[in-house]
Amino acid sequence: MSDNAPTPVQIRADVLATPAYRQGATPTKAGFKLSSNENPFPPLPGVLEAITARSEVNRYAAAAMPELRAQIGAAFGVAGDHVHLAAGSVAILYQLVHAAAGAGDEYLYAWPSFEAYPALGLASGATPVGVPLTATAEHDLDAMAAAITERTRVILLCTPNNPTGPALRRADFDSFMARVPAHTLVVLDEAYREFVTDPAAVRGEEVLAEYPNLVVLRTFSKAYGLAALRIGYGVGDPAIFRAAASVSIPLSVTGIAESAARAALAPEARAVLAEQVATLVERRDRLSAALRELGIDVPDAQGNYVWIPERASGGVPDALALAAAFAAEGTLVRPFAGSGVRISVGEEESLTVIIDIVRDHLAQLGGAA
């Protein structure tokens, strides 16, 4: 059935006008899937054992998952009641916007950023307000502060920014928070926090205690490699999470996901995690340098992905055309029409493939160095 086929029942016009989130596609021939920022490594030590040991699939998970929440809270220096779990951090984003912003209200974010942001307010009727990034693909915090109105209920800060890569600096974050009304919820979306190497970057665990209106989000999907199990968490004031729970889908975090997350936080697994992250960071930096040698103006990459902007100089003229060139070779990347192409950092062998495809594409455009 065509995506443009008429619906058999009456649907809200604003829902029909908002594109659904698109999951990264799977290659149809031999190649690499570099479109979803997935972890290319096998599961961390103890994870598969924890999954297979969870045999009581006929039972719901423990209601509060106190052990997992306590493990997470300890890393932030807070009690377990300051931790909220959901089926991925994106689920918490929906809950927070739904709980705080209703019809006539607004929520604010940088753009382009995480593709789910524009649709977060559909359920509650809140209006999304996207503020363009700077020329260096970073949050324009001055413009975002200027965009705050009496209707702004939630502000989303994605650091490092997905898909462009730069992380927010601590000094800039503090200056911005000084301009945010105390009653306005600020969400620091740190899905890629483990890959950040910039010493000046803001870190949620270091600022959470200073701002009662701040929630920090993290996920087990990326660095921890549990994407298929769908589990993420937020850390913040318990009252905020009680409101989020009121608009959440009950029982959405499975016991299997809980067991896997607990195993992934064990000391042996964390040691391997650090090694895997270091390897991906080294590949990311090497890939960024190689693309820059081709004349691509790659922004500061702080996640497990790099960004090729769409522009005449220092980028490519057509993001969709570059993505098609990748797909023709069996490798999938994530194009953002009119903005650029995001390429996940994956297997070591994929780096040469990426550089060769980009070089050949530039040569065909007459833009090779």
Side-chain angles (χ1 to χ4, degrees), residues 312-330:
S313 176
V316 293
D318 189 332
L320 297 179
L322 177 59
F326 271 94
E329 299 299 325

Side-chain angles (χ1 to χ4, degrees), residues 16 32 53 87 151 260 342:
L16 294 175
F32 298 96
R151 298 198 298 166
R342 189 193 69 196

Side-chain angles (χ1 to χ4, degrees), residues 291-309:
L291 288 170
R292 290 182 183 123
E293 289 180 0
L294 295 178
I296 301 295
D297 187 13
V298 178
D300 182 29
Q302 291 292 314
N304 64 337
Y305 49 89
V306 298
W307 176 251
I308 295 179

